[in-house]
Amino acid sequence: MKKIAGAVTALLLAAALGTPSAAAAEAVSDWPEAVRTWPEAGYATAKNLQVMSWNMCGSQRSTWHCEGTGTPQQKIDVVKYHVQNNYVHAALLQEVCEDDLTELMAQLGPEWSKSFAPYQWSQGASGKWNSRCGEDTGRADRIGTAIVLKGQLADAREYPLTQPYVGQQRPFQCATAVYWNVRLCNVHLSPLGSNPDHPTWDYRDDQLAEIKAIASTFPRTVFGGDFNALPPDDPNNKDAWVWPAGLYSTGPGTEGYQECDQTGASRTGRATHGSGVKIDYLFSSETRRWCAVADSAFSDHHVVIESVAVPA
């Protein structure tokens, strides 16, 4: 492991100049030497799969509080930076506007595939509708989550989770990365207070239990995203009870899935949010090769990347 001090220096210089670039926005901590292997060096009997998760904070709607986090192109450039420089094969994106996703795909090229699932706002008995990227008089394209892959996706679908009857509903979607035969799933859990009629109701325990049940049906999987929940072993977590037994592994040989940034039995990790807490995760059934966390000037969430070895 080593720190790439130059990336931090570039970030500070770009901030001082007032023109941060996507590359300069990546202040990477403890970036592994193995990141430079492409695609399978050192793993002759395994396929290397590198998956990125990032909440882009792409909404143009003021109630989503993404102002000051960069332009759509700057956010697109962050994804492209990790694809081009850190060899990402798949990206699980949250809070991405559909038109921006279309532009991202155009810039990545025709060999890339996508699956998009919109957020929806529910008014209970009055029905629900797709959430807009912009204000009521602004951008009308949808906002949602996306699975983006270099290669072919198959069997893309949304899986129903327990959702607030009134308020913001967030999708849970999966799709198969055909070359690796791995099921990729994108998670965005409902934070406490999602139901304006019942702000004390917590949906995360039900949602996590349902995600665990769904993931357990996949022989090979990588699932992650914005969980809106602290790790169960975080000493400041008063809601550790939302994590179901058998989801978050307590170490090698134990039930559940190892998390990207987990060390041994400790179910914690580096901060992934600008507030200094970890709420973004990547779990996998496959052997972890390395994990990286990268700050970005263009979202309140950090980028998380996991490299796993998938048996050939």
Side-chain angles (χ1 to χ4, degrees), residues 36-297:
R36 298 303 171 190
T37 61
W38 172 259
E40 299 172 24
Y43 284 80
T45 61
K47 296 176 180 178
N48 178 40
L49 173 61
Q50 290 168 187
V51 181
M52 162 184 168
S53 177
W54 189 36
N55 183 323
M56 298 178 72
C57 204
S59 176
Q60 307 292 301
R61 201 173 182 90
S62 61
T63 53
W64 289 61
H65 306 296
C66 291
E67 60 276 359
T69 60
T71 66
Q73 185 59 53
Q74 287 171 322
K75 295 172 188 289
I76 288 171
D77 285 343
V78 171
V79 179
K80 290 170 56 183
Y81 173 83
H82 288 294
V83 167
Q84 295 166 359
N85 295 279
N86 300 316
Y87 314 116
V88 162
H89 302 91
L92 310 178
L93 304 175
Q94 304 90 48
E95 297 186 20
V96 56
C97 294
E98 195 167 17
D99 287 355
D100 300 338
L101 177 63
T102 299
E103 181 60 29
L104 169 64
M105 301 306 294
Q107 294 184 30
L108 288 176
E111 70 272 26
W112 286 78
S113 305
K114 69 174 181 179
S115 173
F116 177 81
Y119 297 106
Q120 294 187 312
W121 183 267
S122 174
Q123 282 296 111
S126 300
K128 60 183 178 181
W129 51 86
N130 294 329
S131 298
R132 295 169 59 111
C133 177
E135 305 291 351
D136 292 345
T137 56
R139 284 180 54 171
D141 58 313
R142 300 179 296 175
I143 187 168
T145 69
I147 300 172
V148 176
L149 177 76
K150 187 174 185 180
Q152 181 183 356
L153 285 173
D155 190 25
R157 67 173 77 177
E158 293 183 52
Y159 292 86
L161 300 182
T162 300
Q163 297 284 350
Y165 182 60
V166 174
Q168 191 70 66
Q169 298 186 351
R170 295 165 173 83
F172 174 61
Q173 64 161 321
C174 301
T176 298
V178 173
Y179 173 69
W180 294 267
N181 194 25
V182 170
R183 195 74 168 154
L184 303 174
C185 298
N186 199 346
V187 179
H188 197 172
L189 299 187
S190 299
L192 187 65
S194 291
N195 186 332
D197 290 349
H198 300 279
T200 62
W201 288 9
D202 203 327
Y203 297 86
R204 294 173 297 176
D205 56 329
D206 290 333
Q207 292 174 345
L208 283 168
E210 291 157 356
I211 289 169
K212 176 193 170 188
I214 294 167
S216 69
T217 67
F218 306 140
R220 296 175 178 173
T221 185
V222 177
F223 62 95
D226 181 355
F227 283 58
N228 278 311
L230 297 178
D233 294 341
D234 187 316
N236 296 315
N237 189 0
K238 299 178 182 179
D239 300 320
W241 59 270
V242 304
W243 291 93
L247 173 61
Y248 205 140
S249 169
T250 55
T254 65
E255 183 184 8
Y257 301 90
Q258 184 181 46
E259 204 276 321
C260 175
D261 207 29
Q262 164 178 13
T263 301
S266 178
R267 297 177 298 173
T268 58
R270 286 166 284 183
T272 65
H273 190 265
S275 62
V277 299
K278 177 177 176 62
I279 57 174
D280 301 270
Y281 302 81
L282 279 169
F283 293 94
S284 180
S285 61
E286 306 308 293
T287 302
R288 180 182 63 182
R289 297 180 61 238
W290 53 261
C291 179
V293 178
D295 300 344
S296 173

